[in-house]
């Protein structure tokens, strides 16, 4: 997940621009954080990758 979709997901999970800008250095350098955010979104919307059991 990259580009505009990822930005929308991050904005949806942290709508406060000031907080998001302060945290950006952390999640920009740690892909595990972005993966966790994606997992939260998948759970919230009931989506699962086709490869998941």
């Amino acid at each position: 997940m990259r580009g505009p979709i990822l930005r929308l997901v991050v904005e949806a999970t942290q709508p406060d621009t000031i907080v998001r800008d302060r945290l950006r250095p952390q999640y920009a350098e740690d892909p595990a954080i972005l993966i966790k955010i994606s997992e939260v979104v998948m759970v919230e919307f009931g989506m699962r990758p086709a490869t998941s059991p």
Side-chain angles (χ1 to χ4, degrees):
M1 187 188 301
R2 294 188 60 119
I5 293 174
L6 181 55
R7 280 192 290 271
L8 289 174
V9 168
V10 170
E11 287 175 13
T13 57
Q14 180 46 264
D16 186 321
T17 304
I18 295 169
V19 173
R20 193 171 58 243
D21 289 345
R22 189 177 68 230
L23 295 174
R24 183 171 286 136
Q26 287 178 317
Y27 70 75
E29 297 298 322
D30 188 353
I33 294 173
L34 295 175
I35 291 168
K36 279 296 193 189
I37 292 171
S38 299
E39 289 173 353
V40 168
V41 171
M42 286 189 298
V43 168
E44 184 68 26
F45 290 100
M47 299 182 295
R48 292 280 182 229
T51 58
S52 290

